[in-house]
Amino acid sequence: MLKIDNLHASVENKAILKGLDLTVGPGEVHAIMGPNGSGKSTLGHVLAGRPGYSVTAGSAQLLGQDLLTLDTEERAHLGLFLAYQYPVEIPGVSNMEFLKASVDAVREHRNEAALDSVTFMKQAREACKAVDLDAAFLKRGVNEGFSGGEKKRNELMQMMLLAPKLCIMDETDSGLDIDALQVVANGINAMRSGERSFILVTHYQRLLNFIKPDRVHVLSGGRIVKSGDHSLALELEERGYAWLEDVA
Amino acid sequence: MSDFMQQALAAAARTAPAWLEPVQARGRDAWSKTALPTRKTEAWKYTSLQPLQQTFSAPATESARSPLDDIPLPALDGPTLVFADGHYRAELSHGELPAGLNLVRFADANSEQAARIAAALGSALQPGRHVFAPLNDATLADGVFLEVAANAHIDTPVHIAWLTTGQNESISITQRLLVCLAENSSATLVESFANTATGGTAFTNGITELLLARGAQLNHYRLHLEQGDAVHIGGVHARQEADSLLNGFHLALGSALKRIDLVVDHQGSGAHCALDGLYLPRGTETVDYHTCIEHAVPHCTSQERFRGIIADEATAVFNGRIHIHPQAQKTRAELSNKNLLTSNKAEINTKPELEIYADDVQCAHGATVAQLDPLALHYLRTRGVPREEAEVMLSYGFINELVEAIAQPAVQAFLKPLLARRFARDARLTRHIL
Ligand SMILES: Nc1ncnc2c1ncn2[C@@H]1O[C@H](COP(=O)(O)OP(=O)(O)O)[C@@H](O)[C@H]1O
Ligand SMILES: [Mg+2]
């Protein structure tokens, strides 16, 4: 699914990722943990092609295609989805228009017919329901005035409608109460399949109680410094990151 | 005074009804003493009158027969008056007048109506507020008088379309509308200005006067859809008595030059006006809105929301003056002006101009200038929306709030696609907005 080799990337001439390797197989769930500022969000942004984030060395392939030479929208068409740690507010653009434009663009790329608006509305309402978001949010500006938790659920709703191949969830669990966390976890679990992989960026082992990861990695100083199974997350919760080599 | 309008002045004097002669004479006299503004004139600092450096003639009656089918206009079901090149076109005008509404052309006014028009005409125009007003008076041969009787509520919108057609020479057109709403009456008025794309410059000198008596309510739309070489210098001058309500929506697509002055004079306590406006110049077009709200008495409110999207090498000016007189305590005045520049060569000159002489007032104002938010653009693209479509969505999104706030459904239905397509190369790019 995803193969990252020796990835180096910088933001505003500051090196952030310094030789990151990561391979995620189809259907797998990987958790990435690590101290604040270690580059977890940067990894997601680099893979999504955010302006200002430049790759200085290394490679990243999604489904055998070189991600790094594609435009941002082409990466989405290929099946990449990044759920933002801090989703962007776009006043004036309705959530509904935005979702329909996204879904149509992605479907078009898969050679699927555009959904008629009735079918789309139905799907959008179902997705809202699945993430416990009132359908009234569809009419609002994209993330405009949403609370932190509502933004996270809006990201998840988009993910459900777009049915991507690789989902990177950047601290989707941060700031959620236990009920909301359960909703998010259920949503993710419902989407798991042999053809879809997940990278869960999280600080909290509690999310991993709901979603069993295949692998757990520690990102520190711009590299994966340790990998293991679920027990690594438990150990990190217990001991923090200081015992690991390379911790900044 | 320069003589670029000589022929139009002479033609107007020949065709006007006799009772307008004193108005014309007054106008000629004032115009002869008027100096055309230059870039040194503060209120014209950013706007050049270069497009007026040519000779304009009065359009011939027969030349106003050209087909008007290709001019898009809102489809409204109320009474409609159509003027082409300043001449009334009866065959394009239609609609029954509901009880309480009087709609009469100056040229058709009987002596009693003429007396009422003459008494009210110009009374909302403050001396010196409108440099071109004397020229409008001097060339005035026909106009429209819209009158609503006390306590009458006119639900169907009145539509007046002022069109200019392609002519071979540059023409000047005088537009004049006088609106009198008697006590506690209400009405909706749509003014559309539009043109066909060919021929010489059409210079429209337009003045709309709105007189709102105590408790009257007017929803007013003034849509400047003229494009290309069109020059429009004009404005709306409103006088509001106590507890009256004026809701204005103003739109200006760009053209060679548009300068619109909106002046609202609060003369009675409890009056409120809300003005929304959009201006969208592109290419090398210029749009200049000057608003001026006079708060002369206590307990009035005003709210202005103007947004501009300036593309290519276009220029826009927004000047929002709020004048709160010493006795106008408890005034609440809000002014917001937001601008989006979609190119490095686009220019906006925005200036709030506050003159506050009363101490117990609330006055909020803000002006912003921004470019398309790169992060918002990227976010849309991470969801698969192609860049070009994302740019259209963000541009339209910038004005969407004001479009959604349009109360008259037919006007909104007309403007939404027209505005969205303004930002898009082809219809595919607007399919998710419309
Ligand atoms: N836009 C930016 N400009 C400058 N520095 C940035 C920017 N974004 C992130 N950084 C820096 O990159 C480092 C990694 O940040 P980030 O990837 O957000 O960390 P994490 O998500 O692991 O907390 C931090 O030192 C942060 O300050
Ligand atoms: Mg982060």
Side-chain angles (χ1 to χ4, degrees):
Chain A
M1 178 68 64
L2 178 71
K3 192 166 186 322
I4 301 175
D5 267 322
N6 189 34
L7 188 64
H8 287 70
S10 53
V11 186
E12 288 172 7
N13 292 324
K14 181 178 157 198
I16 310 289
L17 300 183
K18 300 167 187 168
L20 185 141
D21 298 308
L22 180 66
T23 301
V24 179
E28 291 179 358
V29 175
H30 288 225
I32 295 183
M33 306 179 83
N36 287 327
S38 59
K40 304 183 296 295
S41 293
T42 301
L43 173 62
H45 291 317
V46 166
L47 293 179
R50 179 159 158 169
Y53 289 66
S54 45
V55 173
T56 49
S59 68
Q61 292 192 332
L62 179 63
L63 295 162
Q65 280 209 45
D66 178 6
L67 259 190
L68 303 178
T69 56
L70 298 178
D71 283 341
T72 290
E73 54 266 45
E74 292 171 333
R75 301 180 196 201
H77 299 159
L78 188 59
L80 178 71
F81 184 92
L82 169 65
Y84 277 54
Q85 182 178 4
Y86 303 111
V88 181
E89 295 200 20
I90 312 181
V93 175
S94 93
N95 222 2
M96 179 75 100
E97 273 166 30
F98 158 60
L99 284 167
K100 183 85 165 72
S102 311
V103 171
D104 282 354
V106 168
R107 287 182 68 91
E108 190 174 307
H109 191 81
R110 294 185 198 139
N111 290 322
E112 294 168 354
L115 294 176
D116 63 84
S117 25
V118 176
T119 311
F120 172 75
M121 269 307 292
K122 192 161 160 281
Q123 290 193 5
R125 284 210 201 87
E126 276 165 14
C128 278
K129 201 159 167 219
V131 300
D132 198 20
L133 202 59
D134 193 299
F137 282 92
L138 292 169
K139 298 220 172 86
R140 305 232 322 235
V142 176
N143 292 319
E144 187 183 1
F146 289 22
S147 74
E150 287 160 357
K151 284 180 182 167
K152 299 294 177 75
R153 279 179 280 166
N154 200 33
E155 296 286 283
L156 191 59
M157 190 215 357
Q158 295 167 30
M159 187 172 99
M160 289 175 165
L161 286 171
L162 292 173
K165 293 287 197 303
L166 175 68
C167 308
I168 305 173
M169 323 273 320
D170 191 357
E171 297 203 28
T172 304
D173 55 334
S174 293
L176 296 184
D177 61 34
I178 191 74
D179 293 340
L181 185 72
Q182 181 77 61
V183 167
V184 166
N186 289 347
I188 293 173
N189 280 327
M191 288 190 68
R192 287 187 67 171
S193 89
E195 264 94 69
R196 180 171 295 130
S197 310
F198 290 84
I199 296 175
L200 308 177
V201 174
T202 182
H203 282 295
Y204 307 103
Q205 135 70 18
R206 61 176 191 169
L207 177 69
L208 306 179
N209 285 335
F210 295 113
I211 310 167
K212 288 278 168 292
D214 296 296
R215 300 287 289 163
V216 175
H217 310 277
V218 179
L219 203 169
S220 177
R223 299 188 310 122
I224 302 288
V225 295
K226 191 164 180 62
S227 300
D229 61 12
H230 188 189
S231 64
L232 176 58
L234 295 165
E235 192 174 1
L236 290 167
E237 182 121 300
E238 193 101 324
R239 299 176 60 188
Y241 299 111
W243 56 281
L244 291 164
E245 57 165 335
D246 249 358
V247 169
Chain B
M1 188 64 247
S2 79
D3 61 355
F4 75 107
M5 293 290 295
Q6 276 318 325
Q7 207 220 318
L9 285 161
R14 282 197 306 275
T15 55
W19 62 269
L20 272 176
E21 276 166 21
V23 176
Q24 288 194 349
R26 199 170 66 206
R28 274 196 306 273
D29 182 52
W31 183 241
S32 69
K33 294 171 186 150
T34 303
L36 271 189
T38 67
R39 299 294 279 268
K40 294 204 176 85
T41 314
E42 184 60 26
W44 291 83
K45 193 168 164 184
Y46 302 107
T47 299
S48 161
L49 284 173
Q50 174 66 30
L52 290 185
Q53 299 295 323
Q54 50 183 310
T55 303
F56 294 92
S57 22
T61 322
E62 60 274 15
S63 68
R65 294 271 172 266
S66 44
L68 300 170
D69 308 338
D70 57 338
I71 300 185
L73 290 174
L76 297 160
D77 51 12
T80 299
L81 295 185
V82 177
F83 289 77
D85 297 337
H87 297 286
Y88 177 61
R89 294 280 290 260
E91 81 282 11
L92 300 173
S93 304
H94 54 82
E96 303 263 302
L97 292 189
L101 173 68
N102 196 4
L103 192 59
V104 61
R105 289 193 297 125
F106 292 3
D108 277 349
N110 61 32
S111 59
E112 183 241 341
Q113 290 165 331
R116 288 213 301 286
I117 297 170
L121 196 68
S123 62
L125 271 167
Q126 300 176 28
R129 271 271 166 266
H130 198 133
V131 175
F132 285 80
L135 181 63
N136 191 289
D137 282 346
T139 53
L140 189 58
D142 196 6
V144 175
F145 179 43
L146 190 167
E147 196 181 27
V148 181
N151 304 307
H153 299 288
I154 311 299
D155 296 327
T156 52
V158 176
H159 186 196
I160 305 179
W162 314 94
L163 311 177
T164 47
T165 66
Q167 305 237 357
N168 292 326
E169 52 187 3
S170 293
I171 55 169
S172 75
I173 290 139
T174 300
Q175 169 266 325
R176 190 73 172 255
L177 171 62
L178 174 64
V179 176
C180 294
L181 264 62
E183 289 196 0
N184 300 314
S185 66
S186 66
T188 296
L189 164 67
V190 180
E191 290 186 88
S192 306
F193 296 84
N195 62 348
T196 53
T198 55
T201 303
F203 163 39
T204 302
N205 177 328
I207 292 181
T208 292
E209 292 178 78
L210 309 174
L211 300 173
L212 277 64
R214 174 182 292 270
Q217 300 194 1
L218 179 66
N219 294 316
H220 179 216
Y221 299 85
R222 207 169 201 254
L223 313 177
H224 286 278
L225 309 169
E226 309 112 309
Q227 304 191 53
D229 283 340
V231 176
H232 190 117
I233 299 177
V236 177
H237 297 257
R239 196 181 71 210
Q240 293 189 242
E241 301 299 343
D243 301 320
S244 63
L245 174 63
L246 171 63
N247 287 314
F249 177 87
H250 295 268
L251 166 70
L253 304 184
S255 67
L257 169 61
K258 278 179 192 155
R259 162 63 182 255
I260 324 278
D261 283 67
L262 308 176
V263 182
V264 179
D265 201 359
H266 285 101
Q267 288 289 349
S269 179
H272 174 63
C273 79
L275 302 181
D276 281 356
L278 298 175
Y279 44 92
L280 309 165
R282 62 186 179 193
T284 55
E285 298 166 344
T286 299
V287 176
D288 176 346
Y289 269 107
H290 269 59
T291 69
C292 173
I293 315 287
E294 295 282 354
H295 283 283
V297 294
H299 294 287
C300 290
T301 56
S302 62
Q303 186 191 45
E304 294 173 83
R305 300 187 297 180
F306 276 75
R307 301 220 175 150
I309 301 183
I310 303 103
D312 307 327
E313 297 172 41
T315 303
V317 180
F318 179 82
N319 192 96
R321 181 168 189 260
I322 298 173
H323 182 186
I324 304 180
H325 298 239
Q327 63 275 30
Q329 300 294 358
K330 306 285 181 193
T331 294
R332 270 203 357 250
E334 287 173 26
L335 165 63
S336 148
N337 174 230
K338 295 184 183 174
N339 298 282
L340 179 67
L341 303 179
T342 60
S343 118
N344 290 335
K345 291 185 175 161
E347 182 180 324
I348 170 71
N349 301 286
T350 173
K351 187 171 124 201
E353 210 181 307
L354 307 180
E355 285 184 53
I356 303 175
Y357 300 105
D359 46 22
D360 186 11
V361 301
Q362 286 179 40
C363 189
H365 66 92
T368 61
V369 179
Q371 299 189 318
L372 279 184
D373 177 2
L375 190 51
L377 187 65
H378 176 67
Y379 184 76
L380 294 177
R381 294 174 73 199
T382 62
R383 277 27 178 175
V385 182
R387 167 194 279 278
E388 212 181 347
E389 185 174 0
E391 287 175 350
V392 172
M393 291 173 83
L394 290 177
S395 296
Y396 183 75
F398 189 77
I399 58 169
N400 188 23
E401 187 188 356
L402 298 194
V403 179
E404 291 299 321
I406 293 174
Q408 185 61 230
V411 174
Q412 190 187 54
F414 167 71
L415 286 182
K416 216 175 152 166
L418 184 142
L419 294 175
R421 292 195 181 116
R422 195 92 184 141
F423 307 113
R425 187 174 41 78
D426 68 58
R428 271 183 66 78
L429 299 175
T430 57
R431 67 196 163 135
H432 295 106
I433 299 172
L434 303 173

